[in-house]
Amino acid sequence: MTADLITEEHSGYALLIMKKKYPVILSETERDELKQLIAAGTAPARKLTHARILLKADQSPQGPGWVDEMVAEAVEVSQPTVSRVRKQYFEEGLEAALNRRPPNREYYRKLDGEQEARLVALACSDPPEGQARWSLRLLADRMVELEVVDDLSYQTVRRTLKKTNSSLT
């Protein structure tokens, strides 16, 4: 991170201000919004923590302009967290710095509706000879034997049956 120390005279005191690569300069509206958010205290803890970080790191004339280490100590988070919030605010804005990103990973269903129905029907049928009940692994293996699917994990069987409230007993 590129940062230079600048000494500034303010009310007779010499202040050390970090010249940051990603400065946080809040508008009056943003500052008020963050203060109201903290005062209400009803937002998720992460959002409140990020609001506190932004208020302490604010380098506008009305803000304290603390360095990352001081902010981290005051808010009780790590210094890299302060840096990440600062960068996110600078690059993406206030909402992005306060709120979690939605996951960008795509989840594909392992079984379609017809295959799930076949699995549930199989689980409800009598267990194989020599077995007292169906196990998750037995169900997965039988689905492959019946050529309903090419490959099936017992964990997928577990999630599917849990979702359908089926009981193997």
Side-chain angles (χ1 to χ4, degrees), residues 32-100:
D32 290 342
E33 182 182 331
L34 292 174
K35 286 179 181 177
Q36 287 174 355
L37 184 71
I38 292 170
T42 57
R46 179 183 180 276
K47 190 171 189 172
L48 293 173
T49 301
H50 285 206
R52 287 185 181 94
I53 289 170
L54 291 170
L55 284 172
K56 298 287 185 200
D58 182 15
Q59 292 180 306
S60 69
Q62 295 81 17
W66 289 7
V67 293
D68 288 1
E69 291 78 15
M70 288 175 59
V71 175
E73 189 176 324
V75 182
E76 298 180 346
V77 294
S78 68
Q79 189 272 328
T81 298
V82 176
S83 297
R84 259 192 319 276
V85 171
R86 179 189 292 278
K87 181 178 179 184
Q88 208 167 18
Y89 171 79
F90 183 80
E91 292 180 345
E92 302 172 44
L94 182 62
E95 287 304 311
L98 291 177
N99 299 309
R100 284 188 182 274

